[in-house]
């Protein structure tokens, strides 16, 4: 251990409230140069708020921020960047039309470079890429890069501005395992060069694999800090939840009802091609469709959402032949509800209230002669808050101010409002912590017990196995394996999904 004097950043008694709710309570934190710490905790624990405070996005109500032994007060992210602190947020801000080089150097244009030639710009970007040993395609537009590569560009940008501390808010939530590994390799290398790293993560595997320290936030307090090597997972999870938590639950498979969703011989062009994908989901059944990113499950999801382009094949809902849905409205008409993966982009209107979000698919049925029945609408939202245990002040709270897990519950409630027969969920717990995850899984089991047919499309093997009455595995655009509840195994699911053989 280095002496405390060498702390790169420290916080003392940092507190923050929004309205009446105290989100951070007297947080002490310290990080040395070259140290990497994973910040973990349930949804709503205050992790993102803490990340924003140490990077100048938010100001604390009370407490001190000390950077390299100097008290600092950041009025904006720009102030933080000046002393060497950068935030890589979950939703990256970049200009999609501009090239990687332009995005890297955007804040220095044109002052540093004047109106220099593009080749000058590319050369400078390439120099940075070499200096920090981060390969990026400097000439390509940002919009053509994968999310993983865009993150690496952001990191390079931070490094090029002499960052000493990089704070990442759930950097791997939307990355494949290979991409995550790559990112952590890079961060590991940067750590060796003396960079401090704070990363929020919900994935225990990576916390244990890549971090020297894990700090647990719970209810706005930093309740634990320790080395993952010396902390059993069960203990870490106990700190997160403040109570013992059972692991995966056994599933009581109910006798299967009639088949209500029938996907028949779906084919499509594209990457990958769908090849003869057929399956059924019965009333009261939860079927997981699992595969690694790019396996084609996303295409199936799009097809069931009414966003599928050029899918051919048959589709039957509740015994009635439907054409492949050509738009989301067609899916809703057939009573197929869809919970999208990109809740912030496709699912929710963050600036609007819980009430508005929960009711927007059923607003017609809540209206009489063009007037929305306010009371009915409010009741719908109040029921949702109660049934889904949504932690919110009231139905008027803007959805964007809820924690991720609670946003997910609002999304689920809104899709259930029209009372669908079949519910298709795409990555239902992505970015959710273990507590919220178990809660949502329980909720899904309850919906199945009440007779709904559920299809969970996920790239998360733990989730796929945890929740399924039946597990379908997809690889390269076709179904390659199927397991009944009794024979579910993560190892077999992964093997089938990556084609590793038996
Ligand atoms: N701008 C805001 N206005 C009001 N409340 C807010 C605001 N930002 C966050 N909150 C509340 O503060 C609490 C902590 O939120 P925060 O985003 O820090 O949680 P988190 O630990 O990052 O959760 P998650 O894992 O879901 O991302 C939540 O209850 C959230 O609703
Ligand atoms: Mg967060």
């Amino acid at each position: 251990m280095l002496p405390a004097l060498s702390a790169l950043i420290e916080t003392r008694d940092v507190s923050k409230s929004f309205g009446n709710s105290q989100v951070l309570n007297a947080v002490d934190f310290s990080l040395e140069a070259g140290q990497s710490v994973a910040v973990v905790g349930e949804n709503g624990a205050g992790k993102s708020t803490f990340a924003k405070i140490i990077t100048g996005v938010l100001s604390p109500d009370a407490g001190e921020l000390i950077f390299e032994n100097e008290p600092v007060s950041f009025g904006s992210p720009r102030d933080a960047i000046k002393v060497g602190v950068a935030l890589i947020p979950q939703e990256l801000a970049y200009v999609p039309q501009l090239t990687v080089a332009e995005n890297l150097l955007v804040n220095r244009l044109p002052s540093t470079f004047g109106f220099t030639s593009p080749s000058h710009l590319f050369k400078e970007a390439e120099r940075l890429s070499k200096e920090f040993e981060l390969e990026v395609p400097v000439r390509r537009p940002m919009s053509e890069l994968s999310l993983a590569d865009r993150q690496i560009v952001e990191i390079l940008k931070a490094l090029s501005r002499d960052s000493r501390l990089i704070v990442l808010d759930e950097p791997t939530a939307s990355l494949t395992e290979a991409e995550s590994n790559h990112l952590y390799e890079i961060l590991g290398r940067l750590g060796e060069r003396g960079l401090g790293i704070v990363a929020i993560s919900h994935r225990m595997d990576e916390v244990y694999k890549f971090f020297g320290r894990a700090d647990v936030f719970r209810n706005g307090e930093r309740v634990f800090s320790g080395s993952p090597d010396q902390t059993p997972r069960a203990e870490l999870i106990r700190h997160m939840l403040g109570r013992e938590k059972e692991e995966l639950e056994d599933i009581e498979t109910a006798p299967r009802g009639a088949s209500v969703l029938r996907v028949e011989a779906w084919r499509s062009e594209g990457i990958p091609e769908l090849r003869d994908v057929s399956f059924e989901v019965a009333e009261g059944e939860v079927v997981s469709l699992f595969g690694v990113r790019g396996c084609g499950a996303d295409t199936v999801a799009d097809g069931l959402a009414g966003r599928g382009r050029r899918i051919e094949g048959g589709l039957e809902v509740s015994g009635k032949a439907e054409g492949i849905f050509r738009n989301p409205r067609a899916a809703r008409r057939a009573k197929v509800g869809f919970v999208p993966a990109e809740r912030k982009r496709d699912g929710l209107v963050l600036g609007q209230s819980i009430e508005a979000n929960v009711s927007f698919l059923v607003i017609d049925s809540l209206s009489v002669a063009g007037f929305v029945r306010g009371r009915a609408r409010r009741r719908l939202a109040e029921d949702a808050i109660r049934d889904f245990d949504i932690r919110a002040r009231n139905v008027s709270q803007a959805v964007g101010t809820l924690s991720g897990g609670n946003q997910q519950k609002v999304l689920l409630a809104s899709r259930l409002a029209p009372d669908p027969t079949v519910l298709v969920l795409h990555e239902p717990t992505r970015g959710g912590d273990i507590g919220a995850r178990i809660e949502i899984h329980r909720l899904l089991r309850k919906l199945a017990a009440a007779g709904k047919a559920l299809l969970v499309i996920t790239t998360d093997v733990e989730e796929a196995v945890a929740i399924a009455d039946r597990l379908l595995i997809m690889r390269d655009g076709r179904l390659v394996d199927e397991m009944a509840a009794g024979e579910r195994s993560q190892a077999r699911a992964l093997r089938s999904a990556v084609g590793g053989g038996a």
Side-chain angles (χ1 to χ4, degrees), residues 90-105:
Q90 239 191 310
E91 269 95 37
L92 302 177
Y94 57 88
V95 189
Q97 298 83 2
L98 295 186
T99 61
V100 167
E102 287 165 320
N103 271 284
L104 273 174
L105 300 165

Side-chain angles (χ1 to χ4, degrees), residues 37 43 52 60 145 153 201 209 258 262 319 383 397 399 414 479:
V37 58
N43 291 132
K52 286 175 188 162
L145 269 58
V153 172
S201 174
K209 206 158 146 200
R262 212 184 283 257
D383 288 352
Q397 190 174 344
V399 166
S414 79
L479 292 176

Side-chain angles (χ1 to χ4, degrees), residues 27 44 62 90 106 132 143 208 231 234 244 315 320 364 371 395 422:
V27 175
Q90 239 191 310
V106 70
F132 295 102
S143 57
Y208 276 82
T231 314
E244 289 282 355
L315 178 63
K320 182 166 167 268
D364 290 341
F371 292 100
V395 294
V422 179

Side-chain angles (χ1 to χ4, degrees), residues 15-94:
S15 296
K16 180 80 184 172
S17 298
F18 293 111
N20 293 333
S21 66
Q22 178 145 26
V23 172
L24 289 177
N25 184 13
V27 175
D28 286 337
F29 176 93
S30 154
L31 184 84
E32 290 153 27
Q35 208 178 20
S36 72
V37 58
V39 170
V40 302
E42 282 200 273
N43 291 132
K47 306 179 297 295
S48 293
T49 305
F50 181 71
K52 286 175 188 162
I53 284 178
I54 60 176
T55 55
V57 179
L58 290 172
S59 310
D61 299 337
E64 281 179 275
L65 220 58
I66 297 144
F67 191 77
E68 295 185 319
N69 300 316
E70 296 285 334
V72 286
S73 113
F74 300 144
S76 70
R78 195 171 291 249
D79 291 346
I81 288 167
K82 258 185 236 148
V83 307
V85 179
L87 174 68
I88 314 286
Q90 239 191 310
E91 269 95 37
L92 302 177
Y94 57 88

Side-chain angles (χ1 to χ4, degrees), residues 69 302 367:
N69 300 316
D302 284 344
S367 307

